[in-house]
Amino acid sequence: MARTKRAGRRTGNPDTRAEILAAARRLFAEEGFESISMRRIASEAGVDPSLIHHYFGSKDDLFLAAIELPMDPAPEVAAVLSQGGVEGAGGRLMHAFVTIWDGPHQDKLLAVVRTSLSKPAMSFVLRQLFEHRIVKTVESILGDQVDHVPARASFIASQVFGLVVARYILKLEPVASLSADQLAVTVGPNIDRYLTMPIEHLLAENET
């Protein structure tokens, strides 16, 4: 159904930020991050494009605000991977992941996950976050050491999101009570295996 656009473009007011966020959520959910421009979002919200930069800065920042993610995971992933390359990356990633989730953003992060599990549109948007911010970050840091990064990242995601459900939602023991150090030692080797194991046969089977 075609939407009725507002006449003209509004300047900033107390509702402008909320209007921009609502428009961004709709467009990101319907058409994806890559295909939507800042100008398109501004048109949808009926505001001048400069106001999006005023309120949010970059398109990435707007995306994170639209899905209500309290922090951008990409810089943390980049910092962890840059510390030592592929060797031991699984343990470092798991330690950083658990430290973040055990911190002050836990309630907001859980809200994002719960919403994505119950709303298909939100699941699509969260997948875009994973592909645009996490996978591209891993490719930029480890691309010369690891092949088929998007495929490997999907296996790593199954480990990470499985841990989220087990530790923070279902609160299964002993997973729920282990420290970041213990989980890094226990789960990290699984992530290392996903980063280094032969994967061509899996891709070939998936393509047939």
Side-chain angles (χ1 to χ4, degrees):
M1 182 179 295
R3 299 189 182 91
T4 301
K5 294 291 188 296
R6 300 174 179 81
R9 289 180 174 176
R10 294 178 292 111
T11 56
N13 63 60
D15 297 325
T16 299
R17 189 177 189 278
E19 291 284 351
I20 293 171
L21 283 173
R25 289 189 187 104
R26 286 194 298 270
L27 291 174
F28 286 144
E30 292 172 2
E31 302 182 38
F33 178 90
E34 298 291 351
S35 63
I36 300 300
S37 67
M38 298 279 264
R39 187 171 294 278
R40 175 80 183 283
I41 295 169
S43 176
E44 178 76 8
V47 303
D48 190 279
S50 64
L51 287 174
I52 298 184
H53 293 284
H54 170 72
Y55 283 110
F56 300 100
S58 69
K59 183 181 175 184
D60 285 336
D61 291 332
L62 173 58
F63 183 75
L64 294 172
I67 65 175
E68 299 182 343
L69 198 69
M71 46 81 69
D72 183 357
E76 186 68 31
V77 171
V80 168
L81 293 180
S82 297
Q83 291 174 6
V86 174
E87 186 173 357
R92 300 196 307 274
L93 282 170
M94 184 52 54
H95 191 281
F97 169 79
V98 174
T99 300
I100 290 171
W101 272 80
D102 285 352
H105 297 310
Q106 183 178 129
D107 288 344
K108 291 183 178 180
L109 290 169
L110 277 174
V112 171
V113 171
R114 291 181 187 277
T115 301
S116 70
L117 292 175
S118 62
K119 296 183 178 180
M122 185 62 177
S123 297
F124 174 61
V125 172
L126 194 60
R127 186 168 71 248
Q128 293 175 71
L129 169 72
F130 176 73
E131 293 171 352
H132 177 69
R133 301 298 291 160
I134 304 300
V135 174
K136 287 189 176 182
T137 298
V138 175
E139 284 181 321
S140 68
I141 304 298
L142 299 182
D144 61 340
Q145 304 174 59
V146 176
D147 60 2
H148 305 300
V149 171
R152 294 180 187 279
S154 70
F155 289 108
I156 295 172
S158 71
Q159 188 77 56
V160 171
F161 285 113
L163 182 67
V164 168
V165 174
R167 179 176 174 86
Y168 300 102
I169 296 178
L170 299 180
K171 300 184 184 301
L172 298 180
E173 294 294 351
V175 175
S177 298
L178 294 178
S179 68
D181 288 338
Q182 290 172 315
L183 286 169
V185 172
T186 304
V187 181
N190 292 340
I191 297 177
D192 287 333
R193 184 171 69 86
Y194 290 141
L195 282 171
T196 59
M197 69 181 186
I199 198 174
E200 289 78 7
H201 66 292
L202 299 177
L203 299 178
E205 290 178 3
N206 189 54
E207 292 170 354
T208 58

